[in-house]
């Protein structure tokens, strides 16, 4: 959300971790993240073992075949340096 001067007053990052699995059999995948704290506001695919994530902050799962969204997340951040700025002008025209 931007104020009338074009500065961000509320914002963040919305993202997904997408997987395209072509593994055969029933492999267990363990994914560790550099900063697992970014997934505090995340929703996970049903294949993710939530107890493992809560305990170790690692994503452990047996992937289904094909493409799927492993996790979706929202990172609130007011300090983002956006590569653009908004300047808004509203003009009202009288109806005839």
């Amino acid at each position: 959300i931007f104020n009338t001067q074009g500065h961000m007053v509320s914002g963040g990052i919305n993202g997904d971790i997408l997987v395209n699995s072509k593994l055969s059999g029933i492999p267990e995948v363990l994914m560790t993240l550099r900063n697992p704290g970014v997934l505090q506001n995340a929703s996970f695919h049903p294949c993710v073992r939530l107890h493992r994530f809560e305990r170790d902050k690692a994503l452990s799962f047996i992937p289904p075949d094909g493409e799927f969204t492993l996790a979706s997340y929202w990172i609130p951040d007011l300090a983002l340096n956006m590569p653009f700025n908004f300047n808004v002008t509203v003009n009202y025209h009288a109806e005839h």
Side-chain angles (χ1 to χ4, degrees):
I1 299 174
F2 293 86
N3 65 15
T4 57
Q5 289 80 35
H7 298 222
M8 186 170 60
V9 294
S10 179
I13 300 168
N14 184 24
D16 295 316
I17 299 174
L18 304 175
V19 176
N20 186 3
S21 176
K22 297 181 181 182
L23 302 172
S24 60
I26 305 176
E28 180 173 348
V29 177
L30 180 64
M31 179 187 299
T32 58
L33 305 169
R34 286 187 197 165
N35 182 3
V38 300
L39 294 182
Q40 289 178 346
N41 298 317
S43 60
F44 298 102
H45 188 275
C47 71
V48 174
R49 294 184 173 101
L50 294 178
H51 68 280
R52 178 78 187 262
F53 180 74
E54 292 167 357
R55 186 184 72 207
D56 303 329
K57 299 301 181 202
L59 296 174
S60 174
F61 59 97
I62 296 175
D65 293 333
E67 296 179 8
F68 66 99
T69 301
L70 183 65
S72 297
Y73 58 90
W74 165 255
I75 304 170
D77 190 350
L78 294 177
L80 289 175
N81 292 320
M82 303 300 280
F84 48 81
N85 194 16
F86 290 99
N87 292 315
V88 178
T89 303
V90 177
N91 296 315
Y92 295 96
H93 300 280
E95 292 185 29
H96 298 285

